[in-house]
Amino acid sequence: PKSQMDAYFAKTKLDEFLLNDKEPHRVYPLGQLSDQAHWSYFHQSVEGYHPAKLRIYQDIRESCLMNGSDPGFGNSQAPINWNVVNMLNAKYLLAQGGLDHANLTPVYQDQAQKIIVYENKAVQPRAFCIGETELIPEREARLQRLNQASFRPDSVAIIEKELSDITTPNQWSAEITRYEPNYIDVRVTTDAQTLLVLGEIFYPAGWKAFIGDEQKEIYKVNHILRGVVVPAGTSVVHFKLEPKSYKVSTAMMGVSMTIVYVLLIIGLLPVIRNLKNRNAVTQQGA
């Protein structure tokens, strides 16, 4: 019933607090909160909503996200892998209890739902620049590296094939100027050729990247994210979702509709001729 739907997805004061932050970010609901679809309705949630997740994302959830047993991650009631939480742009963590971590600051409390909102001070932005890489082609080795506190996703990118001619810039900025389901634009300014990392899932079956009219290769970063080499100076990286299957199916649909209309016209021609003949006979009789 619509009334039940409206009640379930009613916006709360907690939602309004999170929505006041206009900067691109994700929320990470912990414990029983992670099973609630409510968070994905209003916010970008680390847990997502659809149960059939992409394999690389499921790898992160199963092997890394709650596998922060390395003592270097610090003391916390939840075994959180802060490498992954930070690189996924999880700015706010939601919990129904206290969390003790140096990078977490309580910023809001919902008394009715007994939910505390913590701001993650170590969160990485949705788009950032990196000049150092680690080449790890093997899947299991990549996931193990992500689970080590010594790995620093804010300064090193794990890649699966050789990437050269990039350096760590002394100064850089990356601003998302367009953010839509099928289009993302990032304005980048850097004093060296470097790797722009976008905190969105790597999906080579559809996403393409362009700087001007030149298509750029999208690299798989940290097993799940996407990266593009950008030149020194200021440039805009255009990400577009253009899957070949969509183009092919659209073309097939256009051809099919054309054939249907042609057949329809051909089928109507005898009817039109008969109507003309009848009108002619009627006029002669009159």
Side-chain angles (χ1 to χ4, degrees):
K2 187 177 185 302
S3 58
Q4 184 178 349
M5 195 77 136
D6 292 341
Y8 186 82
F9 291 109
K11 187 184 296 184
T12 66
K13 291 184 178 180
L14 190 156
D15 293 318
E16 292 176 352
F17 170 80
L18 294 172
L19 292 171
N20 281 333
D21 189 339
K22 304 303 181 183
E23 183 182 38
H25 68 270
R26 291 189 177 91
V27 301
Y28 184 18
L30 300 173
Q32 295 180 347
L33 299 178
S34 64
D35 296 328
Q36 299 178 7
H38 174 93
W39 306 112
S40 293
Y41 185 79
F42 286 107
H43 315 282
Q44 295 184 36
S45 172
V46 167
E47 286 290 351
Y49 172 68
H50 202 287
K53 296 174 175 63
L54 296 178
R55 179 68 259 176
I56 57 174
Y57 197 85
Q58 193 64 22
D59 285 344
I60 294 295
R61 294 184 73 255
E62 292 176 353
S63 303
C64 299
L65 189 58
M66 294 296 289
N67 194 15
S69 56
D70 190 315
F73 284 119
N75 297 322
S76 177
Q77 291 88 335
I80 296 173
N81 182 327
W82 292 102
N83 289 339
V84 174
V85 171
N86 293 337
M87 77 182 191
L88 291 182
N89 190 222
K91 187 175 182 178
Y92 297 103
L93 280 72
L94 316 178
Q96 291 181 311
L99 294 177
D100 182 18
H101 193 277
N103 293 330
L104 296 183
T105 302
V107 291
Y108 186 85
Q109 185 167 1
D110 189 314
Q111 298 288 353
Q113 301 184 81
K114 295 182 172 56
I115 298 175
I116 303 175
V117 178
Y118 294 87
E119 183 176 353
N120 177 16
K121 297 297 184 180
V123 66
Q124 293 177 230
R126 186 63 60 91
F128 53 95
C129 293
I130 284 182
E132 295 185 25
T133 61
E134 290 185 17
L135 179 63
I136 308 180
E138 300 80 14
R139 171 180 173 274
E140 291 300 327
R142 285 195 304 274
L143 297 176
Q144 290 176 9
R145 183 66 175 124
L146 286 171
N147 282 332
Q148 296 172 358
S150 58
F151 171 65
R152 295 296 304 273
D154 59 344
S155 56
V156 179
I158 297 174
I159 55 176
E160 298 182 22
K161 60 181 181 179
E162 198 67 47
L163 177 61
S164 58
D165 298 329
I166 63 169
T167 56
T168 301
N170 294 315
Q171 293 183 334
W172 64 267
S173 65
E175 179 189 5
I176 296 178
T177 57
R178 182 183 185 185
Y179 191 90
E180 300 175 8
N182 297 340
Y183 301 94
I184 302 175
D185 290 349
V186 185
R187 180 181 295 277
V188 186
T189 300
T190 172
D191 59 6
Q193 180 164 285
T194 190
L195 182 68
L196 169 70
V197 179
L198 180 65
E200 300 288 338
I201 198 163
F202 176 78
Y203 189 70
W207 281 100
K208 298 178 182 178
F210 297 85
I211 296 180
D213 296 329
E214 180 184 0
Q215 184 171 348
K216 308 291 289 187
E217 181 175 1
I218 299 179
Y219 293 89
K220 188 178 178 183
V221 176
N222 298 345
H223 191 74
I224 189 174
L225 305 180
R226 62 183 85 157
V228 173
V229 174
V230 295
T234 299
S235 55
V236 177
V237 184
H238 302 277
F239 291 91
K240 302 178 182 180
L241 183 62
E242 295 182 340
K244 289 182 179 179
S245 57
Y246 176 77
K247 286 188 173 181
V248 171
S249 61
T250 302
M252 291 177 63
M253 182 178 66
V255 171
S256 299
M257 291 300 295
T258 301
I259 293 174
V260 168
Y261 284 125
V262 170
L263 292 176
L264 185 61
I265 292 171
I266 293 174
L268 288 174
L269 284 176
V271 177
I272 295 172
R273 289 196 190 99
N274 289 335
L275 287 174
K276 286 184 176 180
N277 293 334
R278 288 180 184 177
N279 289 335
V281 171
T282 302
Q283 292 175 356
Q284 289 176 359

